[in-house]
Amino acid sequence: MQSTTATVLHVTTNEHDAALESTLYDVHHAVDAATALDVLDRIDVDGVVHDATSDDWRLDVLETVADATDAAVLARTPDPDGEFAAAASARGATGYCTHDDDLASRIAAHLDRYPTADQSWYRRLHDAVTDPVDDADETARRLLEVGCDRLDLPYGFLTRFDADEQHIAVAIGDHEALQTGNSAPMADSYCQYTADTDGGYLAMDDAREQLPASNPYEAFELGCYVGGLVEPDGEVYGSLCFAGDAARDREFDDADRTFVEFAVELFEHELERDQHRRAIEAANDRYEALLERIDDGFFALDENWRFTYVNERAGELLGRDPDALVDERIWSEYPSEQADQFRDRYERAMTEQTPVVFEEHFEPLDAWLEVSAYPSPDGLSVLFQDVTDRKRYETQLTDLLDAVRDLYGETEREDIAQRVVDATHDILGYQYVVVRLHDPDANTLPPTATSDAIDRDAPDRPTYDVGESRAGRAFERNEVVEGEAYLPDVHGPLTSAQYYPIDSHGVLTVATRYDETDIAESDQRLAQILAANAAAALDLATRQRALERYESVLENVQDMVFVLDETGVIEYATGPLADAIGQPRTGLVGVHASEFVDADVATLDAAIDTLLDGEDEDATFQFELVGVDGPVPIEVDVSVLPGMHGGDIVGVVHDISDLTETRARLESENARFRQLFESLPDPVVENRFVDGEPVVERVNPAFEDVFGYDERELVGERINDYIVPEDRRAEARSLDRSTTDAAPDEPTVVSSEVVRQTSQGMRHFLFRGISYLDGDVHRGYGIYTDITSQHERERRLQVLNTILRHNLRTEMTLVSGYVDELAVEYDDHDLADRIRDAVDEVVSLSDKARELERALEETPEPALVDVVTHVQNGIADATNDHPDRNVTFDADSATVVADHRLEIVVKNLVENAFEHGGGEVTVSVTTTDTTVEIRVDDDGPGIPEFERALVSGDRDITQLEHGSGLGLWIATWLLNAFDGDLRFENDASTVVAVVPRAPTDAQAALAAESDESAATED
């Protein structure tokens, strides 16, 4: 079976051209002759598609590719172009098409390959269109025959639409209504529905059931129908259809559709090819007419070197009658000794069948000719033109370029002006030449340099003001001015004068005598080129003088300055820079700057390119200079120094060692501050003040731990909304105002004791606010030192001092009274007993105070303890001091995080019940989900309300209001140390010590440590 894939080389200026991407071909792209030859060396191709553009036929590429392969070459243009088709054929193309053609079909036809070569039906379709035939109807008949066989249908017909009529152009089969030449209204045709479908394809296996109207069926009585819309070049032509009398026993499938659409495409292409063929024939007619109208000479030779055609222009250039040359042999009319070079090239073109293009001097005419000769087996077509003027222009241009190089070597304005005059005279051949250079001080144009003819015929040329005369106007407007010039000593006016502005520097005047020809256009272009280069040379000289002045100044300054060329090589360096590097100045020049800084060549080149491309006018970079005493941090300010070749780079080097050290020190200080901020055990918040209120910017970890908020929750929020209790808001606002109202030119510190809401409840803090002004924004830090323990201790001391001071005073007063009574009645034992009781009370009170002080000062590590054991020990301690009292105890087993001071709590609560109760005391331990509750109950009157208020803190301690004892204070303070609390029930005859049961995170860690310790001991 033949391969289904052909290999195609697509030579196109656009390698992303998708014209062949959707075909079944293996496509390789090439954008030029070299790439195409590389593909042909590596791959055997079946064919070549050569794309030409309207502006560039690229025939040399086509010729090169055609010479390198035996494969067929299909030339292609955007629009039909007979002239290109002929030229492409002469260069080796074997076929031609346009962008509007279906390229896949054209390649298939051209290469004798088929999109689905394994299907004989497609081969038959291609055979139908590739066999030579000049009649599109005959091609249609062949396609219809193949289609009827493929679809197994008896009728095939090609229709052509004309307004509301359908004309049958070609028909296959014996259907009476479907015969060549018949017509029918479009409304009665099946094809009207084909034209109306999307995609131009209609298939009906049961037409009677599927037709939307009955007219077509009644007119033709076709039981099945399939057809496609024919649209060559996008214009509706008609339809290609197949039909049968009866409905089909199977539906038309995708394969049927593909076949029909392919047949339609082939016929569309045949129609387009027919149109193109006629277009080419017309183009050939136009071609002959064109040959008579073109400016180039053209003649055609047959294989025997006889003239077969000579156009009028060729006759003019050759100095012969065109008709007289026809049928004459070229080498008889122009013998070899007159045209050897021409004969050699013509014979090579015919022998190799390769077009030749050349320029050669033709002795018989004393002229330079540019010749293009295109061979064919039947002869040679020759186009030629007289290029003598152009050759002269090229010679002048070459000489002018040499003169321009000399211009750039001059540094003085007068020398540049004289070289311009000499070049105009010597190269362009004009005698009368003047260069006037602008005098900016006088704003005039004096003659600076003149030719010998001017010196001879008009030695005293005037000085013009800017705007005066044609020379002044040319300078003022910066445009070429034409006119006549008059020299008194020359016989009459100069016939032609041109005034060329030399930019802002002056004017070049060129004139001819009255008896000479006018200034040629080519000479005018050369004069403009000369004037433009003169302006550039004068600019360069000006810059050179400026650079010399700058260099003179730089030689006397102590700055480190350098100049780089566009490649980064040092052109100039000052002494201080050379000293810093530790090399002589001459050792720096010619060396790439990357040798002396910590940057590679690519990095410096990229920075230089950015400046030279105009993306930045100047820039600043930081490097380390490879100094004589080691690396030196530097900052380099660079900018473009305009020059003739696009600009050099000038830079100033600054030693930033001190700045670098300062930055490093500041960075170190900042790092230490950040470390301090993060490590402070006290909560710290950094904020800015918005409308007088502090808004969080960051907090330290201690703040997160104490207040229970993640930093991400607080950033951007007002801190007072999170940690200030409602009843303290006014106080917080006042504190904020005192912080921001301070003097703005120096930081302010505000200190105050505050109460804030924490994750553990209300806590007392010493707040220190530090504020400063950052531009127009108030910023600050808030530091919170927890003084809750200190606050509680001060309160305790206040209670102790007050109670002890008052009670001791009272008891001692009693003692004093009793002593007085004893003085009267010395032997009264009852009085002595009372004195002892009073003294015992004072001693007991003193003992409790000492016990409290020791308990509060003691800070044992908390651990998991058994509540029952500690309660029993506390009861035992109380009953030991009161052996006459009984205690009933009932307990649930429970464990809490506490220490032995829990026994002191129980002892004081039981002793308080002994003192204030009448009978038996009951102690019980119960548990809830979160707490352990120790209840001490007696049958006494209960603890007075004012005593309870003092202990809970709801009432302040005064000289008149204070507790009668320390037991409840001791219990309260110690419970607080365990995160517990004291409450009263049953009219205060029952006191409840509440201790948290569920451990906090810290307590859980302690519990784990206790378990590890126990495991270790085990």
Side-chain angles (χ1 to χ4, degrees), residues 164 166 184-193 215-220:
D164 296 331
Q166 168 189 277
M186 285 291 290
D188 294 341
S189 71
Y190 288 71
C191 299
Q192 65 169 319
Y193 300 107
N215 289 355
Y217 186 79
E218 293 174 355
F220 295 95

Side-chain angles (χ1 to χ4, degrees), residues 849-915:
R850 286 195 301 273
E851 182 183 44
L852 174 60
E853 183 178 7
R854 286 194 300 269
L856 292 177
E857 290 178 350
E858 187 179 5
T859 56
E861 288 292 328
L864 286 174
V865 298
D866 177 38
V867 174
V868 173
T869 300
H870 284 282
V871 171
Q872 289 174 336
N873 291 340
I875 293 172
D877 290 342
T879 55
N880 286 337
D881 295 336
H882 301 81
D884 57 334
R885 304 299 297 271
N886 293 322
V887 177
T888 302
F889 177 55
D890 181 25
D892 292 339
S893 176
T895 303
V896 296
V897 177
D899 55 52
H900 68 276
R901 291 178 295 176
L902 184 60
E903 297 174 5
I904 300 175
V905 173
V906 175
K907 172 188 175 185
N908 279 275
L909 294 180
V910 172
E911 286 181 344
N912 187 72
F914 286 164
E915 182 176 354

Side-chain angles (χ1 to χ4, degrees), residues 405-654:
R405 281 192 287 270
D406 294 336
L407 275 181
Y408 288 121
E410 301 291 351
T411 59
E412 299 298 327
R413 300 172 77 234
E414 293 77 9
D415 295 337
I416 293 173
Q418 189 58 53
R419 282 197 177 273
V420 171
V421 169
D422 294 343
T424 307
H425 176 271
D426 298 342
I427 298 172
L428 303 186
Y430 294 99
Q431 298 186 56
Y432 297 97
V433 186
V434 179
V435 171
R436 300 174 182 272
L437 294 183
H438 180 237
D439 181 352
D441 296 330
N443 199 27
T444 57
L445 293 165
T448 307
T450 55
S451 63
D452 292 341
I454 290 291
D455 293 340
R456 182 188 66 239
D457 298 334
D460 298 321
R461 300 307 298 154
T463 295
Y464 295 123
D465 292 333
V466 172
E468 179 187 2
S469 80
R470 292 185 179 90
R473 288 193 294 274
F475 176 79
E476 184 177 52
R477 299 171 186 172
N478 196 28
E479 62 183 20
V480 179
V481 173
E482 298 182 30
E484 291 183 343
Y486 184 79
L487 298 178
D489 296 334
V490 177
H491 304 291
L494 300 180
T495 60
S496 178
Q498 299 275 346
Y499 303 87
Y500 301 95
I502 307 175
D503 201 18
S504 61
H505 297 284
V507 179
L508 165 64
T509 302
V510 182
T512 61
R513 288 169 52 96
Y514 67 93
D515 55 352
E516 297 174 336
T517 59
D518 291 342
I519 300 173
E521 287 188 11
S522 60
D523 290 341
Q524 293 178 31
R525 291 194 296 270
L526 292 173
Q528 287 181 285
I529 293 173
L530 182 59
N533 279 277
L538 289 165
D539 284 337
L540 181 61
T542 301
R543 287 194 296 271
Q544 184 63 35
R545 289 193 297 272
L547 284 174
E548 290 173 356
R549 291 195 298 270
Y550 296 152
E551 186 170 351
S552 176
V553 172
L554 290 173
E555 292 296 331
N556 297 289
V557 301
Q558 297 305 308
D559 289 336
M560 293 186 287
V561 182
F562 62 87
V563 176
L564 307 179
D565 67 11
E566 65 273 14
T567 67
V569 172
I570 299 173
E571 294 183 328
Y572 173 81
T574 60
L577 179 59
D579 293 342
I581 296 174
Q583 293 199 24
R585 293 170 60 188
T586 54
L588 302 183
V589 175
V591 180
H592 197 277
S594 61
E595 296 290 330
F596 306 112
V597 293
D598 64 334
D600 56 30
V601 174
T603 301
L604 287 179
D605 287 349
I608 291 172
D609 289 343
T610 299
L611 287 169
L612 295 181
D613 289 345
E615 297 180 23
D616 296 309
E617 293 183 358
D618 50 49
T620 300
F621 302 97
Q622 289 189 357
F623 301 108
E624 278 195 348
L625 182 71
V626 182
V628 63
D629 296 323
V632 178
I634 58 172
E635 187 171 81
V636 184
D637 296 324
V638 294
S639 59
V640 176
L641 181 66
M644 184 178 69
H645 300 293
D648 293 339
I649 304 296
V650 61
V652 180
V653 179
H654 307 284

